[in-house]
Amino acid sequence: MFNFILYKNTNKEGIPIQNSKYLEFLSKFGVGGAHPGGINLTKEIFKAESIGKNTRILDVGCGTGQTAAYLGVEYEAKVTGIDINPEMVAKAKRRMKKNRLPVKIMQCSIEQVPLRDDTFDFIISESVLSFVNKPNALKEIFRLLKNGGRLIAIEFTIHQPLDENIEKEILQFYGFDSCSMKKDWVALFKQAGFNNIRIQKNKSIFSIPELHYSKDIAPELYEIMDKHFAMNLQYEGILDYRIYSCTK
Ligand SMILES: C[S@@+](CC[C@H](N)C(=O)[O-])C[C@H]1O[C@@H](n2cnc3c(N)ncnc32)[C@H](O)[C@@H]1O
């Protein structure tokens, strides 16, 4: 059996890294589009928004930068991506360099972002907020948005309180900070000061995630990948998500 210990760590700059074997698997395999619905859902969501060259967008927990790159190419928007994981940051930077995209990628935690208040028109969080302290992250997102700016978040959502053992297994395996129901998310958004909260569900969109292998992938991480797929089958309907949007 695996030893799914969730541990908090800091990198050499003293930036806290909330680590989990699942996140390690994503970063070592360089999984792009590591959120439900993947890049096709992202494309669908942004179709409905008004975005142009002067729109400032922050992708929090940008991973390998697939969404940030898409927004830079498709809309020529002014995009910044942040991620706490140095390996993700390196892969995202490589993607922008390779594609000659002026997307800025920074390593930092969403709980403490070294950027000015009222900077962004949109902030997107694709499967990130469950890994962090939600009130801290939402406070920071609210601070970074311009007045009238919007948060769009594709996030893990449970539909009823979970059996204690199932909740423990999910929290430990993914390294989530907590499991939230729709009403919990709404309360968190309201508490951070957001209004105009909308919730959508889109089950029919699917994308094949990108993989960028590194040479040094430990066999244990292949087991984590298998376990992730097994958990998705076992907990179908429990490991669910919703698309939230709300305005500052
Ligand atoms: C499930 S992945 C999603 C990555 C990306 N949004 C995507 O859809 O492909 C979660 C990401 O959140 C990042 N992350 C976790 N905690 C973070 C934090 N406190 N601040 C910023 N990023 C964080 C992880 O490093 C990882 O890249």
Side-chain angles (χ1 to χ4, degrees):
M1 281 303 290
F2 313 111
N3 187 14
F4 298 121
I5 296 174
L6 173 66
Y7 52 99
K8 293 211 173 188
N9 207 345
T10 55
N11 73 4
K12 58 183 189 315
E13 274 89 34
I15 298 171
I17 299 174
Q18 180 160 9
N19 216 339
S20 74
K21 285 288 170 195
Y22 173 71
L23 289 180
E24 193 181 333
F25 144 69
L26 290 181
S27 66
K28 288 282 181 202
F29 279 78
V31 180
H35 58 272
I39 189 69
N40 289 335
L41 178 58
T42 306
K43 290 179 181 177
E44 201 55 35
I45 289 171
F46 278 99
K47 256 189 215 164
E49 305 294 343
S50 172
I51 297 174
K53 282 186 180 177
N54 293 321
T55 310
R56 292 190 180 274
I57 307 176
L58 176 67
D59 182 1
V60 297
C62 65
T64 67
Q66 191 188 38
T67 289
Y70 168 74
L71 295 170
V73 172
E74 181 69 19
Y75 298 99
E76 297 178 46
K78 294 187 167 57
V79 187
T80 302
I82 62 166
D83 202 287
I84 200 166
N85 183 311
E87 197 138 1
M88 287 299 204
V89 167
K91 285 177 175 157
K93 282 188 174 168
R94 212 173 300 143
R95 182 197 294 272
M96 303 315 161
K97 195 171 172 195
K98 192 173 158 201
N99 295 291
R100 297 185 184 175
L101 288 171
V103 172
K104 189 172 166 194
I105 302 291
M106 296 164 52
Q107 189 195 346
C108 66
S109 170
I110 179 53
E111 294 178 43
Q112 201 175 6
V113 183
L115 293 173
R116 287 199 190 132
D117 298 3
D118 308 316
T119 300
F120 296 98
D121 300 288
F122 287 94
I123 296 185
I124 179 143
S125 166
E126 297 181 307
S127 198
V128 179
L129 294 175
S130 289
F131 294 96
V132 304
N133 178 301
K134 289 168 183 155
N136 289 352
L138 288 171
K139 195 174 161 198
E140 200 54 351
I141 288 171
F142 191 83
R143 179 184 74 74
L144 291 163
L145 277 171
K146 293 177 184 171
N147 282 332
R150 278 151 50 76
L151 166 66
I152 298 173
I154 304 171
E155 298 294 347
F156 169 52
T157 301
I158 56 171
H159 303 299
Q160 56 195 40
L162 300 182
D163 166 272
E164 203 181 311
N165 291 328
I166 294 177
E167 178 164 4
K168 199 168 160 195
E169 187 185 4
I170 292 173
L171 290 179
Q172 289 194 343
F173 177 71
Y174 287 102
F176 289 151
D177 191 69
S178 51
C179 299
S180 302
M181 295 195 278
K182 273 191 288 190
K183 67 175 174 60
D184 304 320
W185 282 110
V186 170
L188 284 159
F189 295 132
K190 283 189 179 160
Q191 189 196 335
F194 287 99
N195 55 58
N196 192 17
I197 301 164
R198 278 184 267 155
I199 307 174
Q200 288 176 61
K201 159 180 172 179
N202 202 327
K203 290 252 170 225
S204 57
I205 296 186
F206 175 77
S207 316
I208 296 171
E210 289 178 341
L211 289 181
H212 299 276
Y213 291 92
S214 309
K215 282 180 231 140
D216 56 341
I217 298 175
E220 180 197 21
L221 295 182
Y222 286 88
E223 291 170 6
I224 297 293
M225 177 163 62
D226 291 346
K227 169 88 179 169
H228 165 61
F229 291 129
M231 296 259 291
N232 271 275
L233 283 179
Q234 185 181 357
Y235 295 128
E236 201 188 338
I238 291 179
L239 286 172
D240 204 355
Y241 73 97
R242 286 293 180 271
I243 307 157
Y244 300 90
S245 70
C246 49
T247 309
K248 175 171 172 179

